[in-house]
Amino acid sequence: RAKQEGRKGHDLLRQLGTTGIQTPIRWEGGELVGTHSLHDTTLELSDPEGPTVHKKWMTAFNTHSGKAILHKTPWSLFSDFFERITPRGEELWVTNGRVNELWQSGFDDEKRPFIMDRWPENFFEIHPDDAKVRGIESGDRLRIVNEDVLIQTGGFVAQEDGDLSYTALEKKGHIRIGRGETEGVAIVTTATKKGVIFTNFLHPKHAANALVHRVPDPLTNRYRFKLGKGIITKIGESPYKEDLSQMTFAPRDL
């Protein structure tokens, strides 16, 4: 549209305002029209105009019926594994995910210093109660060690459902114990629950998934990359504790 009107794309984006326009974008009557939600069976689509292409997934899921297929995982296939990995003693759950500043695989972000400098080191969000008993403050440098990383070495194909349970895999010698550790800077916050550490899983300097077990889900054969644990230790103060020019410890759950 900007090209047709003889102006820059950025000028058109400014006109759209801070709310922008939600993709996929369609041409309708010479105007740009956003799509509020996919798989919307009530969406009435006009004839395609210009570059517009109507994909099936705009009004239906990519299944024979057009409806979503939800797979229910029996708790019996997971309960013994969950019981085995539940933190004990000084251990805390360690889960990980994305942050807004790095919202993709990182293949392109690593080429952009203004993005990577936003998080020069990884961070660990820790609840105030967990931080207090360990003498941890925002800006302290922490190390998390998991001496009990479960690694599946065999038994990926089975004849009976029970053969894929964690108990059966361990009994048949398909589980070994490994070790993982990672470091980061503390952020004391109520954004995470007591007993749970949250960290960015994409930071190139600190591999948060080193703390995660290598035992796939028996139905999907996908690794459970969010279920880590470990013992957290303060190992000093980071340079960012007093100098806030690179890292901020302001609440992220506003």
Side-chain angles (χ1 to χ4, degrees), residues 121-124 126 131 135-142 184-188 234-244 247-250:
E121 295 191 43
N122 210 351
F123 64 86
F124 296 137
I126 180 172
I136 294 173
E137 299 177 340
S138 291
D140 288 339
R141 191 182 301 280
L142 309 178
V185 179
I187 299 180
V188 181
K234 176 181 174 180
I235 57 176
E237 294 185 354
S238 74
Y240 318 106
K241 188 170 184 177
E242 303 300 333
D243 180 5
L244 302 179
M247 290 186 71
T248 175
F249 306 111

Side-chain angles (χ1 to χ4, degrees), residues 29 44 59 180 190 215 223 253:
E44 296 183 2
T59 56
T190 56
V215 181
Y223 287 101
D253 57 338

Side-chain angles (χ1 to χ4, degrees), residues 135-168:
I136 294 173
E137 299 177 340
S138 291
D140 288 339
R141 191 182 301 280
L142 309 178
R143 177 182 293 128
I144 303 180
V145 177
N146 185 358
E147 302 277 3
D148 187 39
V149 178
L150 305 178
I151 303 170
Q152 184 173 341
T153 59
F156 296 97
V157 179
Q159 293 180 322
E160 303 292 337
D161 288 344
D163 295 338
L164 292 173
S165 69
Y166 174 79
T167 301

Side-chain angles (χ1 to χ4, degrees), residues 24-33 35 45-55 58:
I25 300 172
R26 313 183 303 276
W27 276 103
E28 290 187 4
E31 296 294 327
L32 295 177
V33 178
T35 305
L45 298 171
S46 61
D47 293 334
E49 298 180 36
T52 297
V53 177
H54 294 328
K55 298 288 189 179
M58 294 183 70

